[in-house]
Amino acid sequence: MISAQQQAEFERLFPFIRQADAGFVESFYASCRYIALPAGVSICDEGEQCAQLSMLLDGVGRVYKLSPGGREVTLYRIRAGEACVLTASCIMNQGSFPAMAVTETPVRAVVVAPDRVRNWICEEQHWQHFIFGLLSHRLASIISVVEEVAFKRIDVRLADKFAHSLAQGKTSLQMTHAELAADLGSSREVVSRILKDFSQRGLIETSRGSIRLTDPAAIEHLARQ
C-alpha cells in the first residue's frame, strides 16, 4: 500500500489513474509499493530480468548502453510522471533488460510487480493506453538518439546540446567532460578536444565541472549544420 499523500501525488503526475474505474484504482494502490533511492544506485543491469516497473514521483533516472570497451551512450532519462519503456517492454515479453539503468539523482517512485503489469494490460483499458503510449513516445526518442549517433558529427551534436540549454534560458552547464561523453556516446578524449576547440573559438569558457556558453549565436549556427 502507499499513503494517501503519495496517492495524491501519483494522481497528479499520472492522470490515467483518475480516469480508471474504482475497482482498478483500489487494486492498483493495494498492489503497488513506494520506494526512495539515493543517487548513483543501479536500478537494473544489462541481461537481468526486470523485477518491477518504476513510475517516478520525483528525481531522474538514466538508461544507457555500455560498449565492451566501456564507452557509454545515454538512451533517455526518466523524470517525474514517466516510467521506463525498456522495463515495460521486457516485462511484457518476459525478456532480459537490454541496457543499464541508474539513478542520477535521489528518486522516489511507485513500483508495480511484473505480473500486475501484464495482467492489467488485458483487464484495464486506461492502463493499456498508458503502457502503449509510453512505448510509442520513447520509441521515437530512442530512434532519434540512434540517428544522431550514426549520422551527426560529434561537434554538431555537442553544439545542439548547448543550444537546447540556451533555449531553456541556461547559459551554463554543470557537467564534466566524462558526463558529456556518456550523453553523446563518445569518448572523454574526443569531447575534451572539441571543447578545447570551442573554447579557442570563443563559443564557451570552461572551468572544473562547468561550461559557460559565451557565444549563443555561433553555438546555434553550428547546431543547425
Side-chain angles (χ1 to χ4, degrees):
M1 288 287 290
I2 62 177
S3 71
Q5 181 179 352
Q6 291 156 1
Q7 289 181 26
E9 189 175 10
F10 184 87
E11 289 172 8
R12 178 177 58 82
L13 292 166
F14 295 91
F16 80 87
I17 197 71
R18 300 197 301 267
Q19 302 162 354
D21 64 65
F24 172 74
V25 173
E26 182 179 357
S27 174
F28 181 86
Y29 285 135
S31 304
C32 292
R33 291 187 301 111
Y34 171 82
I35 62 169
L37 300 173
V41 171
S42 174
I43 301 171
C44 196
D45 290 335
E46 187 165 358
E48 290 184 348
Q49 297 292 311
C50 296
Q52 59 200 17
L53 177 66
S54 299
M55 307 172 73
L56 266 64
L57 301 177
D58 188 38
V60 181
R62 184 170 75 98
V63 179
Y64 64 97
K65 285 289 289 184
L66 187 65
S67 76
R71 183 176 297 178
E72 295 180 11
V73 58
T74 299
L75 297 178
Y76 55 87
R77 287 179 168 83
I78 312 159
R79 294 179 168 83
E82 300 176 343
C84 178
V85 63
L86 288 180
T87 300
S89 175
C90 291
I91 288 174
M92 293 305 299
N93 64 29
Q94 300 187 54
S96 57
F97 196 65
M100 309 280 284
V102 64
T103 58
E104 267 197 338
T105 70
V107 162
R108 297 184 302 109
V110 168
V111 298
V112 184
D115 61 332
R116 293 291 184 172
V117 173
R118 290 189 290 267
N119 292 343
W120 288 337
I121 282 284
C122 303
E123 298 170 358
E124 174 51 47
Q125 182 182 34
H126 293 96
W127 176 255
Q128 182 185 92
H129 288 170
F130 168 72
I131 294 295
F132 288 166
L134 179 68
L135 293 170
S136 62
H137 170 71
R138 281 300 183 191
L139 179 60
S141 67
I142 291 173
I143 289 173
S144 177
V145 169
V146 171
E147 288 177 340
E148 287 190 356
V149 170
F151 303 124
K152 273 192 177 181
R153 300 195 324 255
I154 293 294
D155 61 333
V156 174
R157 293 175 57 212
L158 189 55
D160 186 59
K161 184 175 183 66
F162 293 162
H164 182 69
S165 293
L166 289 168
Q168 295 178 324
K170 301 175 183 177
T171 57
S172 64
L173 290 83
Q174 303 303 311
M175 294 187 76
T176 66
H177 294 194
E179 289 169 337
L180 281 171
D183 267 8
L184 298 173
S186 184
S187 67
R188 184 187 181 282
E189 292 75 17
V190 169
V191 168
S192 295
R193 187 164 63 248
I194 294 171
L195 289 173
K196 183 178 180 180
D197 176 64
F198 281 9
S199 181
Q200 290 173 342
R201 292 160 59 185
L203 276 65
I204 63 172
E205 290 179 356
T206 61
S207 56
R208 188 173 182 85
S210 178
I211 300 167
R212 191 165 72 88
L213 311 177
T214 53
D215 192 340
I219 289 170
E220 291 166 354
H221 176 74
L222 179 56
R224 290 193 294 270
Q225 294 185 15

